[in-house]
Amino acid sequence: MAAEKAELSSLVASARYVLWDLDGPICRLFAGYPAHEIAGELVEKIDLLGMGALLTEQERSSNDPQEALRGVHERRRGSDLVLELEGWLTRRELEAVALARPTPYADPLIRTWWSLGVKFAITTNNAALAAEAYVGTRDLTGCFPHVYGRTANLDLMKPNPYCLEEAIKAMGAVPAATLMIGDAATDLEAARLAGVEFLGYARNEHKERILRKAGAEVVVRSLDQVLDILRGQYGTAST
């Protein structure tokens, strides 16, 4: 534990640019409009369009609506159907924003770290519109001038490092001084491919096990752990 705390301190101290995943590290996007409900509605929509045969059983039963969306994309790549379903999911994510809940300590951590001159971007598999809408509800828009999310080309979703690399270019960042904060194995893989450091956030034991199994070396169960590091290194108080 002491070794991991030292490594966490090193990650925080060396980070001049931070890439944040949205759903998990910043908020629980689907706290009030559960992802499994959206996933079920998306499968129902695909069925009503007469395209249900495109989905595997795993995609039909997944609690993640992106599973079904990716499945259709794999089998109808570049089609109007994929564009329609991606737009439909974006609208559902925008509806979810109104009922989303901030991750504990995320807001003060973001404001404190940003006040120290660290530059931020959001790199998410959710729609950029949803990410922008959420940070707007928390008065955090100024902290995130760069937001990169899902595009019509679903091949560019994480673990593809595309959105991370776009954010790095937009910020004029140096990968060696950049840290990705994510809660999924796809975030970790994207960080590795982009050549940036990774900090795992796991709100429960199950998510921590997944990250550890994927090879994450530093995982926090609370963002307060990062705030504590900032307080110790810079003598700051959370804002």
Side-chain angles (χ1 to χ4, degrees):
M1 291 297 291
E4 185 164 333
K5 185 174 181 180
E7 193 165 352
L8 173 61
S9 296
S10 177
L11 287 178
V12 173
S14 62
R16 295 293 175 265
Y17 309 89
V18 180
L19 309 176
W20 295 77
D21 184 35
L22 175 70
D23 186 25
I26 294 179
C27 68
R28 290 185 64 186
L29 180 59
F30 302 106
Y33 187 2
H36 69 84
E37 291 185 12
I38 298 174
E41 292 167 7
L42 180 56
V43 170
E44 183 177 344
K45 179 176 177 62
I46 293 168
D47 286 341
L48 288 173
L49 290 170
M51 296 292 177
L54 292 175
L55 300 177
T56 66
E57 281 306 311
Q58 179 177 332
E59 291 161 353
R60 295 185 68 86
S61 60
S62 174
N63 289 330
D64 182 355
Q66 292 181 4
E67 287 268 349
L69 181 62
R70 284 181 191 262
V72 174
H73 168 69
E74 285 295 321
R75 293 152 208 133
R76 290 293 186 274
R77 195 175 297 270
S79 67
D80 288 343
L81 174 62
V82 173
L83 290 175
E84 179 180 349
L85 296 177
E86 194 282 326
W88 180 92
L89 181 56
T90 294
R91 292 190 291 275
R92 301 293 85 73
E93 289 174 348
L94 285 167
E95 289 178 24
V97 165
L99 300 172
R101 295 177 187 167
T103 297
Y105 301 103
D107 288 12
L109 174 59
I110 290 165
R111 292 191 174 98
T112 299
W113 218 348
W114 179 79
S115 74
L116 295 169
V118 176
K119 296 181 179 180
F120 292 153
I122 293 176
T123 51
T124 176
N125 278 348
N126 299 118
L129 287 174
E132 290 166 352
Y134 175 78
V135 296
T137 68
R138 308 301 299 176
D139 197 26
L140 294 171
T141 299
C143 299
F144 293 103
H146 308 289
V147 178
Y148 293 89
R150 187 178 62 241
T151 73
N153 183 354
L154 302 183
D155 287 331
L156 300 180
M157 292 171 66
K158 293 176 290 185
N160 188 306
Y162 173 79
C163 64
L164 283 71
E165 292 170 345
E166 290 297 295
I168 289 168
K169 286 188 289 186
M171 292 191 294
V174 178
T178 303
L179 175 66
M180 169 77 194
I181 302 178
D183 72 336
T186 51
D187 296 320
L188 172 59
E189 185 175 348
R192 286 173 171 165
L193 292 169
V196 305
E197 296 286 358
F198 181 77
L199 171 61
Y201 168 73
R203 64 183 176 85
N204 57 41
E205 185 177 345
H206 173 67
K207 285 187 171 289
E208 181 173 358
R209 281 199 304 270
I210 292 173
L211 285 171
R212 299 282 188 191
K213 185 176 180 180
E217 296 181 1
V218 184
V219 180
V220 296
R221 291 286 289 273
S222 171
L223 295 180
D224 193 34
Q225 294 174 249
V226 185
L227 262 178
D228 282 343
I229 297 294
L230 289 178
R231 294 185 190 111
Q233 291 181 345
Y234 299 98
T236 62
S238 61
T239 57

